[in-house]
Amino acid sequence: MDTIAGIDVGGTFTDVVLHDTATGGLRLAKVLSTPDQQADGLIAGLHQLPVPISAINAVVHGTTVATNAVLERKGDRCALITTRGFRDVLELRRRDRPTTYGLTSGYTPILPRSRSFEIDERINARGEVEQTLTDDAVRELARTLRDTKVDSVAICLLNSYANPVHEQRLVEQLTGLLPDVPVSASHEICPEPGEFERASTTAVNAFVRATMSRYLETVQDRLDAEGLASEVQVMQSNGGLIPARRAGRLAVRTLLSGPAAGTVGAAAFGAAVGLPDVISCDMGGTSFDVALIPDGRPAVSSETSIDYGVPIRLPMIDITTIAAGGGSIASLDRAGILQVGPESAGSTPGPACYGRGGVSPTVTDANVVLGRIAAEQRLGTQEGFTIVHSAAEKAIRAEIAEPLGISVREAALAIVRIANEKMARAIRTVSVDKGFDPRKFALVGFGGAGPMHVAELARTVGAATVLIPPYPGALSAYGCLIADAKYDYVTAVNASVEAEGLERDIAQILIDQRDAGTRLLQSDGFAPANTLLRMSGSSLAFAARMASLRSAIASNMREMCTTVSSSSRRWPRCGMSQSRRWLP
């Protein structure tokens, strides 16, 4: 018998689902999150369960540590190393604006220009070395980094996707000269064309790498001390799992860890009831996460902006997140107009009705006043945590109802309606704006607050079907349980489609990616019998078709992407898929 724990740490609550693989039984725990040290809430949640940690065979974790570090700019003191002349790559970015007609941007680079350093070397777009990297240049750079006292280093040299030899040499030498400073290289993180996107993705990885590593080491050490005999698995933004030791090194892959788990759970629940076309609507205490799931597969984006001007060029589940959770604070702006969010009460102090010192009215307080949350209802399994109806009413009256000259109930209803409209707009963003009709999709309402709002959201966007899981507040934790181990590989192909032998080269790249993924899964302890290769089309057939397509294709083939995944002996689903992607 195996027992698996899925854990989702949110901004307000930490959810734990314990699955007994022999009986299929589930046990749940829900405790308040501990923002200062998320590991405390995680351990407290596990202690709520009737099974000791030493009896748990595997722990799968979805976390927002990396996300919060980027959004709050509270990551590591990192440096960026670029080719001479490209020091300003993060500041120059693309010619875009946060709003189409806005005159200001408010853009804050992930690291300041003062910690961007150049080095003499040059590789051209064909991968040919034009200026050799010297040992003296590396030693001088190491002295500069040592004097700057950085915690982490990101390396993004020009055209390293075409030939990573200089980055590899720089990583090797800096690791020896600065053994306590982790190094992230773009040819490992994002080996694709596009200097800004590649530099941004690598810089974000360096920015959160030490923070994520410390957090995961703390979690692993505390669980080991209580008898856990396996390595913690971490949910990635692509909906797959990765071991904690590798998640720390590739921290950028965990930016949408928690929301991705919820999307995986929503897809499985929709398929279980025979409705593969669903939209996941995860309304937790801090945010509202929505994703399109056509034909049972969450939509995946090859590039996502975690914040304005901070693109992440990695395969990630296409999730839209807005500040419209149960803890979103309602307030009046300078014009006296009611606003909901983006500030959140979080778990400390939390909504006023939590009785933990909060005085600002929130969406949860509005639901309490409207009777959608009963005064005697328990939110979670934590002892001593009850709803205080009078505190919710007092907060809404003082901050909203009296200034607007309306009743408390009318104010509460207005708060809920504004929050619903914001969430409906997010649903249209992932559906209507991308050519999908939301009326043909079922809405899966989950998260602590999702079921209370999903029916009104369906009415607003025109959806005819609403699904509410049996344990909606813990669906993200359940998504951790059913996810596969998964890795994505990208290889840039810098060649004309008319190049001789291109078919053979493409086929070899696919074979190499498959072999690399299989070896990695086996090193993680997955047996070959649990590894399945699923391709969107035969690589050999694709290679054969290239000859006939040459005259029709006018642009170069830029990249190829491979996804390799597997399930362990403990998880019911398995698969290894391979896909191809072209960029214009």
Side-chain angles (χ1 to χ4, degrees):
M1 177 186 72
D2 286 338
T3 305
I4 312 168
I7 305 172
D8 174 55
V9 178
T12 304
F13 285 101
T14 293
D15 300 304
V16 181
V17 174
L18 193 69
H19 178 223
D20 187 324
T21 59
T23 64
L26 297 176
R27 292 180 180 272
L28 283 71
K30 191 180 192 75
V31 299
L32 289 167
S33 295
T34 50
D36 294 336
Q37 179 51 268
Q38 287 192 7
D40 292 341
L42 183 150
I43 299 296
L46 287 171
H47 286 167
Q48 291 277 319
L49 300 171
V51 176
I53 293 177
S54 58
I56 297 176
N57 300 97
V59 172
V60 187
H61 182 20
T63 176
T64 57
V65 168
T67 311
N68 295 338
V70 173
L71 295 179
E72 298 172 9
R73 296 298 195 272
K74 294 181 179 179
D76 309 318
R77 180 180 173 84
C78 63
L80 174 66
I81 313 302
T82 67
T83 301
R84 178 77 62 189
F86 289 83
R87 178 184 181 184
D88 301 301
V89 61
L90 295 182
E91 282 76 12
L92 292 175
R93 63 182 199 280
R94 301 298 179 189
R95 295 182 61 86
D96 56 355
R97 304 175 183 175
T99 55
T100 304
Y101 301 105
L103 299 179
T104 59
S105 68
Y107 169 67
T108 303
I110 201 69
L111 57 88
R113 186 177 186 273
S114 60
R115 291 204 299 273
S116 291
F117 303 102
E118 299 174 327
I119 192 167
D120 292 317
E121 66 83 36
R122 193 66 177 244
I123 290 176
N124 63 28
R126 295 183 297 275
E128 301 166 345
V129 177
E130 293 190 349
Q131 182 177 1
T132 303
L133 177 68
T134 65
D135 293 342
D136 290 341
V138 176
R139 283 192 290 269
E140 179 62 29
L141 175 63
R143 283 192 291 270
T144 302
L145 293 173
R146 189 180 296 109
D147 294 340
T148 309
K149 298 179 180 179
V150 296
D151 299 322
S152 183
V153 173
I155 300 174
C156 184
L157 303 182
L158 188 66
N159 297 319
S160 62
Y161 69 90
N163 183 355
V165 60
H166 283 177
E167 280 198 0
Q168 291 170 342
R169 182 177 172 186
L170 192 54
V171 169
E172 180 182 0
Q173 292 185 275
L174 285 181
T175 301
L177 294 169
L178 303 171
D180 297 328
V181 179
V183 179
S184 302
S186 69
H187 74 276
E188 296 179 334
I189 305 297
C190 177
E192 300 187 47
E195 295 304 313
F196 168 56
E197 289 79 10
R198 184 156 51 88
S200 174
T201 305
T202 308
V204 169
N205 191 79
F207 187 70
V208 299
R209 177 172 175 173
T211 298
M212 191 67 174
S213 295
R214 285 192 298 267
Y215 167 69
L216 292 176
E217 287 173 3
T218 298
V219 170
Q220 188 72 60
D221 290 345
R222 293 184 63 174
L223 292 176
D224 289 346
E226 298 203 30
L228 183 70
S230 62
E231 183 176 7
V232 174
Q233 299 288 317
V234 180
M235 176 64 71
Q236 300 178 85
S237 303
N238 63 5
L241 304 180
I242 187 172
R245 67 183 185 281
R246 197 169 291 126
R249 184 170 63 84
L250 303 174
V252 69
R253 297 189 181 187
T254 68
L255 284 174
L256 296 179
S257 175
T263 305
V264 171
F269 182 68
V273 298
L275 294 172
D277 295 327
V278 300
I279 297 175
S280 65
C281 301
D282 180 5
M283 184 179 182
T286 305
S287 63
F288 176 72
D289 305 310
V290 57
L292 188 78
I293 307 174
D295 197 26
R297 292 179 178 272
V300 176
S301 173
S302 61
E303 182 179 317
T304 301
S305 290
I306 192 66
D307 194 9
Y308 172 67
V310 187
I312 306 298
R313 179 69 69 82
L314 289 173
M316 305 168 74
I317 293 179
D318 193 1
I319 299 172
T320 295
T321 300
I322 63 171
S328 294
I329 296 174
S331 61
L332 301 179
D333 62 16
R334 290 186 297 176
I337 298 175
L338 179 61
Q339 305 289 338
V340 178
E343 293 81 16
S344 173
S347 60
T348 305
C353 64
Y354 285 8
R356 295 164 58 87
V359 295
S360 299
T362 66
V363 176
T364 298
D365 294 312
N367 282 317
V368 169
V369 168
L370 294 173
R372 300 181 179 185
I373 300 176
E376 66 276 6
Q377 185 171 341
R378 289 190 61 186
L379 298 182
T381 58
Q382 194 161 330
E383 293 297 329
F385 178 48
T386 57
I387 297 297
V388 183
H389 185 280
S390 60
E393 188 173 332
K394 179 181 178 181
I396 293 178
R397 176 182 291 109
E399 299 292 331
I400 308 296
E402 290 182 352
L404 292 179
I406 59 178
S407 68
V408 173
R409 186 174 180 82
E410 288 173 330
L413 189 59
I415 292 171
V416 170
R417 285 177 174 171
I418 290 175
N420 285 344
E421 185 53 43
K422 292 179 66 175
M423 290 186 284
R425 193 181 310 132
I427 294 173
R428 296 188 187 101
T429 298
V430 303
S431 58
V432 177
D433 291 359
K434 298 183 179 180
F436 292 90
D437 187 350
R439 295 174 298 181
K440 298 180 180 179
F441 286 75
L443 302 190
V444 182
F446 63 102
M452 289 185 293
H453 294 257
V454 70
E456 294 180 21
L457 294 178
R459 184 181 300 113
T460 302
V461 303
T465 305
V466 166
L467 301 177
I468 299 177
Y471 304 103
L475 189 64
S476 292
Y478 178 73
C480 292
L481 294 179
I482 63 175
D484 293 333
K486 184 177 181 181
Y487 295 96
D488 295 298
Y489 293 87
V490 175
T491 300
V493 180
N494 190 8
S496 167
V497 294
E498 297 180 355
E500 197 67 34
L502 180 61
E503 300 91 339
R504 180 186 63 255
D505 295 340
I506 295 301
Q508 187 59 50
I509 288 173
L510 291 170
I511 292 171
D512 292 343
Q513 290 177 337
R514 178 202 63 192
D515 292 344
T518 301
R519 287 194 300 270
L520 191 60
L521 289 169
Q522 290 178 358
S523 69
D524 290 341
F526 296 99
N530 290 332
T531 302
L532 173 66
L533 174 65
R534 185 178 62 241
M535 302 174 62
S536 58
S538 169
S539 60
L540 297 179
F542 164 75
R545 288 199 306 271
M546 283 298 297
S548 63
L549 290 175
R550 283 177 177 174
S551 60
I553 301 177
S555 62
N556 288 352
M557 178 154 164
R558 290 292 184 84
E559 65 172 346
M560 304 218 13
C561 174
T562 298
T563 300
V564 183
S565 60
S566 176
S567 69
S568 79
R569 293 174 293 276
R570 304 185 181 95
W571 287 288
R573 297 169 55 224
C574 65
M576 182 166 70
S577 62
Q578 191 173 69
S579 61
R580 296 181 294 275
R581 185 170 74 247
W582 296 267
L583 292 182

